[in-house]
Amino acid sequence: MPDAPRKPTPSSLLPPPGHPKRKRNEEKRRAARRSSDLTPPNSVDTERGTVVITGICGRLGRRLARQLHRERHVIGVDRRDFLDRPKDIEHFQIDVRRKKTQDIFRHGEVAALVHLGVMHNPRGSDEDHHTWNVAGFQKLLDYVGQYNVPKVVLLSSANVYGPRPENAHFLKEDAPLLAAGKFSEMRDLVELDMLAQSFFWKRPETETVILRPTHILGTVKNAPSNYLRLKVVPRLMGFDPMVQVVHQDDVVRAIRLALQPGVRGIFNVAGPKPLALSEALTSLGRATVPVPHPLAERGLARMWRWRMTSFPAPELDFIRYVCMVDDTRSREVLGYEHKYDIQQTLSAVDDERWV
Amino acid sequence: MSVDPDRPMHYSGSTNMREPSNALARLTDLAANDVIPLAQRLYGGAVRTADDLALKMLGSDFDDRSAQLRAHYEEVGGDPFGIDPDTAKYAVVAAAFFHRFWFRTSVHGVENVPAGRVLLIANHSGQVPIDGAIIGAAMFLDADPPRLIRAMVEKWAVTLPFVATLFARVGQVVGVPENARLLLKQGEPLLVFPEGAKGVSKPFTERYQLTDFGLGFMRLAIETNTPIVPVAVIGAEEQFINFGNVKWAARALGAPSFPIVPQWLVPGAQMPLPTKYHLHFGEAMRFSGDPDDDDAVIEEKVWVVKQTIQSMLNRGLKKRKSIFF
């Protein structure tokens, strides 16, 4: 059976030491190790080389691209069109799942991959979501391995820990990722994070960085920003959890710090000190309506079905329980510091123009 | 909500938020224009009444104490758990009613509590756990400087509306080891009842007999090098007379216990009996060793604390002349 996958042989079944067959195998293994030592994965310029950014046309991606393109060659990959694109950014308007993505890695000497193209659209079909997020990212990681890209940065999210009543107040990077327990749409994002984690161990030559920022506020279109942009903000009656927020430009800076050579691992990213949700709403001057939780859950589920809202009902847990992170590691190892204070971070959701 | 002329009427980024229907818009307008201001006025009135009451009941010293506490938290740059000294103040007012007027607590040895991080280990009793609130009130009203006691709560308490918010505002945190470590790192006093829920519902025949202690607090104390102050609470066991626990009823209800307390059936006797509380704070104890040691080794150290509290209880009971005075 020549094609059967080879099972690991127990040592008792190996040829005895000194046997020619065993010698040959050992030599082969040593040669393989030597050749991998000889081909340095960092043949490209890790500091100034080309950066491939997926999901570049998102609001965060465009901000990152605008900051990066003056220093390094930037290649964008996104299904969407990059309007008002700086001329020196190369943009490929393609689907990451397509074969053409491989050409980008094959031709350019890519120094880093920044994966921002994570789809989180609870309205989208499960299948599309899954193949885009998991299969698409798996493909990208394959190319990274194949073409010796020395750096991968994944923008995951602190939401993968999940808001739960039994959460520690500040979750460290090694906390379990339990978000999918109550909110099954999150399982792609958890899986994505896990995929990057296993890649970290599988390929030590590549520096894999996973960033898990808390609620990003700004002109970005994500649930926390949209929530704070509502005219009259519904709250859960009797619940007022502490929340952490971070300004979009602080996240961009964290991504740029993660691109530095030598940085690897998982980093929680948070902004200023946490504050109670009600304080955040008061300082934004929003009128709030307290809604009892059972009513809110059922009402939101119905509104969701009738397409009256962009918030699925399980997201209510984010304004019910704490889901905050301990970002000491990113502040110590990454050298990250937030630049925007809490007032600036909160009011960023009302900014009109994104650059 | 009045329309602010300076504020742009266009809200960016909410394109995927469909405008709600007219009825909903009218409802939100009503909420913004009428209901919320009315609620705010009612709330403001309630707060003022509570302020007056607190001042009358507890004297001007009380304001000094809450100001000191607020200054302390401002000094350390706020509390990440969302403590609000102003809300905590009202919780203390409620507790102070029981502390000063109902149970007329006499506090002994509160000066034994060292400054900085400390673990208060106390016996748990009383069918309804008022003892924690009384210790909290004593540390706020009788200790110098006033301290805000932090305690750990069950995770289900966090799933209850209002309770969750109240607990967070008065400094109670979810009972996971990480939170305890963080609180001690902040230099807070942490109150722990190692008997747990089973200590609360002791029947009357087993009053002032400590049940098994958990070991977690000792590991925490050794790991963080925190002094332990043993606390004996006397008087709580007689506030509700428990004739025994019905196990099957507790199991059927999913409650930790089902005590038979005949006085609860008497109309108007739902309040605890006005026994006299005695709080005894012992001298600080320090332990060293390996926090990850065998249970047997940790148990010996826990036994020392347990025996200290038991003998404090015994001594206090011997000295006590009457349950009510």
Side-chain angles (χ1 to χ4, degrees):
Chain A
M1 33 171 213
D3 285 339
R6 193 174 288 172
K7 279 187 194 147
T9 1
S11 58
S12 59
L13 293 180
L14 282 175
H19 191 276
K21 205 171 176 187
R22 178 149 178 175
K23 255 188 197 159
R24 212 159 45 231
N25 283 349
E26 271 170 7
E27 260 163 35
K28 236 190 257 167
R29 228 174 293 140
R30 225 172 282 137
R33 213 177 297 142
R34 221 176 298 129
S35 75
S36 76
D37 284 346
L38 286 177
T39 49
N42 304 5
S43 58
V44 290
D45 183 357
T46 49
E47 258 181 84
R48 330 233 2 127
T50 308
V51 182
V52 173
I53 303 176
T54 62
I56 198 170
C57 301
R59 299 195 177 209
L60 202 66
R62 282 190 283 184
R63 289 183 100 86
L64 176 66
R66 279 194 179 269
Q67 286 195 18
L68 269 183
H69 79 105
R70 292 179 198 284
E71 297 161 19
R72 326 175 52 151
H73 180 218
V74 173
I75 300 179
V77 185
D78 202 313
R79 276 199 291 201
R80 296 165 283 189
D81 192 11
F82 196 157
L83 299 167
D84 55 19
R85 164 175 64 93
K87 285 281 165 292
D88 52 349
I89 294 181
E90 240 181 293
H91 181 55
F92 293 89
Q93 198 178 339
I94 51 170
D95 191 320
V96 271
R97 290 168 291 188
R98 278 176 53 194
K99 260 269 153 59
K100 191 141 188 308
T101 317
Q102 194 173 5
D103 296 344
I104 298 167
F105 287 89
R106 191 181 290 136
H107 296 316
E109 290 216 313
V110 179
L113 165 71
V114 179
H115 186 55
L116 305 179
V118 180
M119 185 197 280
H120 182 50
N121 173 19
R123 288 253 183 248
S125 81
D126 273 359
E127 197 193 345
D128 195 32
H129 230 244
H130 187 79
T131 56
W132 176 277
N133 279 336
V134 181
F137 186 50
Q138 181 69 69
K139 275 255 173 68
L140 284 172
L141 289 180
D142 287 347
Y143 303 149
V144 166
Q146 202 173 339
Y147 300 104
N148 276 329
V149 177
K151 170 80 79 180
V152 176
V153 178
L154 167 70
L155 188 72
S156 182
S157 156
N159 296 347
V160 291
Y161 299 116
R164 301 183 320 137
E166 59 267 53
N167 269 354
H169 208 62
F170 292 105
L171 296 157
K172 290 217 164 60
E173 281 85 354
D174 54 4
L177 311 182
L178 299 168
K182 272 187 88 183
F183 187 14
S184 57
E185 275 79 13
M186 288 286 294
R187 81 183 160 241
D188 281 356
L189 307 191
V190 173
E191 207 170 326
L192 199 71
D193 196 291
M194 300 280 202
L195 213 57
Q197 283 184 46
S198 66
F199 188 75
F200 175 91
W201 294 109
K202 255 194 288 192
R203 225 188 117 75
E205 304 94 306
T206 299
E207 291 169 357
T208 308
V209 182
I210 304 172
L211 294 177
R212 293 188 189 143
T214 50
H215 301 311
I216 304 173
L217 295 190
T219 50
V220 289
K221 284 199 259 179
N222 56 10
S225 296
N226 288 345
Y227 174 72
L228 290 177
R229 272 193 284 260
L230 294 176
K231 252 193 262 185
V232 176
V233 186
R235 283 197 307 125
L236 290 179
M237 191 184 274
F239 289 103
D240 191 12
M242 301 294 282
V243 289
Q244 262 175 338
V245 290
V246 60
H247 192 279
Q248 52 189 7
D249 286 339
D250 282 332
V251 177
V252 168
R253 201 168 40 257
I255 296 171
R256 296 191 55 191
L257 287 167
L259 283 170
Q260 290 171 320
V263 173
R264 56 167 72 214
I266 309 173
F267 298 95
N268 290 331
V269 178
K273 278 197 182 120
L275 78 172
L277 180 65
S278 61
E279 283 177 73
L281 292 169
T282 317
S283 77
L284 272 173
R286 298 286 194 265
T288 62
V289 185
V291 185
H293 179 257
L295 196 72
E297 203 173 27
R298 259 163 245 170
L300 195 62
R302 187 147 301 172
M303 279 168 75
W304 171 257
R305 226 174 305 130
W306 292 343
R307 300 191 164 257
M308 280 167 65
T309 171
S310 67
F311 302 100
E315 270 180 6
L316 280 177
D317 276 356
F318 283 101
I319 56 172
R320 193 175 181 204
Y321 302 131
V322 284
C323 179
M324 299 203 293
V325 294
D326 181 348
D327 66 343
T328 24
R329 191 173 132 78
S330 68
R331 284 175 198 267
E332 277 166 13
V333 180
L334 208 59
Y336 161 81
E337 248 174 26
H338 66 271
K339 287 266 164 67
Y340 293 85
D341 67 18
I342 189 69
Q343 199 52 48
Q344 289 165 324
T345 307
L346 286 171
S347 54
V349 297
D350 287 332
D351 287 351
E352 287 292 311
R353 184 85 177 92
W354 57 271
V355 185
Chain B
M1 191 176 67
S2 63
V3 176
D4 187 350
D6 296 328
R7 186 113 147 262
M9 284 305 288
H10 173 68
Y11 288 81
S12 67
S14 54
T15 41
N16 54 354
M17 286 294 309
R18 295 267 180 94
E19 272 299 306
S21 66
N22 277 338
L24 202 67
R26 234 176 290 143
L27 203 67
T28 51
D29 263 6
L30 181 79
N33 292 331
D34 300 320
V35 180
I36 291 170
L38 182 71
Q40 274 167 352
R41 218 173 310 139
L42 283 175
Y43 177 72
V47 166
R48 269 193 301 282
T49 318
D51 271 337
D52 291 348
L53 203 70
L55 210 64
K56 252 181 229 151
M57 200 163 75
L58 301 164
S60 57
D61 181 38
F62 179 70
D63 268 352
D64 289 348
R65 284 179 175 275
S66 51
Q68 269 184 52
L69 211 62
R70 200 174 311 124
H72 164 72
Y73 280 106
E74 265 161 28
E75 201 179 300
V76 299
D79 173 79
F81 291 95
I83 211 167
D84 178 11
D86 292 314
T87 313
K89 199 171 86 177
Y90 297 118
V92 171
V93 170
F97 166 73
F98 283 97
H99 175 62
R100 285 272 162 91
F101 299 104
W102 195 264
F103 296 126
R104 296 144 290 127
T105 316
S106 72
V107 181
H108 312 275
V110 72
E111 65 281 354
N112 285 337
V113 180
R117 65 162 180 268
V118 59
L119 269 168
L120 301 180
I121 306 296
N123 61 316
H124 215 2
S125 54
Q127 314 313 322
V128 178
I130 313 174
D131 44 1
I134 298 298
I135 295 174
M139 289 297 288
F140 185 92
L141 296 168
D142 302 319
D144 225 10
R147 307 284 298 269
L148 197 56
I149 281 285
R150 317 297 292 261
M152 316 292 274
V153 298
E154 278 274 353
K155 70 167 192 212
W156 61 259
V158 181
T159 65
L160 307 173
F162 301 107
V163 177
T165 314
L166 177 75
F167 276 173
R169 293 293 163 270
V170 302
Q172 314 303 299
V173 300
V174 182
V176 292
E178 288 92 336
N179 287 353
R181 250 175 245 133
L182 186 62
L183 281 173
L184 291 177
K185 218 170 99 190
Q186 282 183 45
E188 302 277 342
L190 189 59
L191 173 65
V192 178
F193 296 107
E195 288 174 274
K198 63 186 183 299
V200 183
S201 47
K202 273 173 245 166
F204 195 67
T205 48
E206 289 164 28
R207 62 188 185 279
Y208 300 118
Q209 291 166 29
L210 297 176
T211 57
D212 285 344
F213 271 33
L215 306 183
F217 79 92
M218 183 54 75
R219 293 188 195 278
L220 191 69
I222 295 171
E223 191 190 319
T224 56
N225 188 23
T226 305
I228 288 176
V229 172
V231 183
V233 185
I234 295 173
E237 296 277 23
E238 292 91 359
Q239 66 187 11
F240 292 116
I241 312 293
N242 179 3
F243 280 62
N245 295 312
V246 187
K247 274 204 185 121
W248 60 264
R251 215 175 305 134
L253 290 171
S257 63
F258 191 89
I260 300 175
V261 183
Q263 78 190 78
W264 280 343
L265 301 175
V266 181
Q270 276 70 30
M271 285 289 267
L273 299 175
T275 56
K276 188 169 171 66
Y277 266 45
H278 299 266
L279 289 187
H280 296 273
F281 291 87
E283 272 170 31
M285 309 162 85
R286 282 176 188 277
F287 293 89
S288 55
D290 179 10
D292 286 328
D293 230 330
D294 238 24
D295 273 3
V297 182
I298 300 286
E299 247 162 30
E300 274 172 34
K301 293 170 179 162
V302 170
W303 187 83
V304 176
V305 178
K306 187 177 164 183
Q307 287 313 307
T308 310
I309 298 175
Q310 186 68 65
S311 64
M312 280 162 69
L313 282 172
N314 295 348
R315 254 180 290 143
L317 286 171
K318 216 172 265 175
K319 256 198 274 177
R320 183 170 70 161
K321 299 245 160 50
S322 149
I323 292 176
F324 293 101
F325 298 103

